[in-house]
Amino acid sequence: MDAAQKIRIGAAVAALALVALGAPSQADDTPAPAPAPAPVPAAAPAGYVATGSWQLLAEVNATRRQHGLRPLAVDRRLAATARAWAEHLAAAGTLAHDEPLFSAASHRRLGFRRLGENVGFDVTVPAQHRAFLASAHHRDNVLLASYRVAGFAVVRDKDGYLWSTEDFGSPTG
């Protein structure tokens, strides 16, 4: 049996298998069922994005580990402060620091000797993290070894932008 005969026999076997398995042929008049339409993603609701907040913390801690620094632990008070501020930023549509956070009274009330903050907005959490790292001041906050705790928050505004607040702290004692 030569190569051409083997090819013809293989093609015949394949055609027979298709017919036996009920595969439609070109001459089949039965219309194929229409594919189901792809679901249209619902617009994400505005408001606090818990998964984004945890994702931002994970991004920061991964960066800190890459630089030989310990990861930040979550401080509930800083997390609440960050969330309230991110909600304020998203509602106002204006980027600004939470100036009262840096007062001596705030330091005493929260029990921190040093506080820092990064604020920003972007379309994704990874993009926001990259933007923070591209800015010397923001990167310094991410990589300051004396920061031990943090509170992060991500809030989506009505237009879909993600407003982020990262509050960092060095506890007293």
Side-chain angles (χ1 to χ4, degrees):
M1 182 177 328
D2 66 11
Q5 287 176 319
K6 288 180 182 178
I7 290 172
R8 281 192 296 272
I9 291 172
V13 169
L16 182 59
L18 284 174
V19 171
L21 295 173
S25 69
Q26 293 294 339
D28 193 346
D29 292 336
T30 308
V40 176
Y48 176 67
V49 184
T51 55
S53 302
W54 287 106
Q55 183 183 5
L56 193 55
L57 176 65
E59 296 262 4
V60 166
N61 279 337
T63 299
R64 287 176 65 87
R65 279 191 292 278
Q66 289 170 357
H67 287 84
L69 300 170
R70 72 167 69 173
L72 299 167
V74 173
D75 180 273
R76 290 178 311 151
R77 297 164 303 163
L78 286 179
T81 301
R83 180 175 177 173
W85 192 248
E87 288 172 342
H88 167 76
L89 296 175
T94 303
L95 197 58
H97 283 283
D98 183 0
E99 294 302 328
L101 177 64
F102 301 105
S103 69
S106 179
H107 280 72
R108 283 190 305 274
R109 179 177 53 81
L110 293 170
F112 291 103
R113 60 183 156 82
R114 183 178 184 131
L115 290 165
E117 179 175 74
N118 290 342
V119 294
F121 69 99
D122 215 310
V123 294
T124 67
V125 170
Q128 181 63 75
H129 182 65
R130 286 190 303 273
F132 284 149
L133 293 181
S135 160
H137 174 71
H138 295 99
R139 185 178 54 253
D140 289 348
N141 278 339
V142 168
L143 297 176
L144 189 64
S146 69
Y147 287 146
R148 299 286 190 244
V149 297
F152 291 1
V154 175
V155 174
R156 182 178 289 107
D157 71 11
K158 61 181 175 43
D159 297 321
Y161 286 98
L162 299 175
W163 295 78
S164 305
T165 300
E166 299 177 336
D167 287 335
F168 303 90
S170 299
T172 55

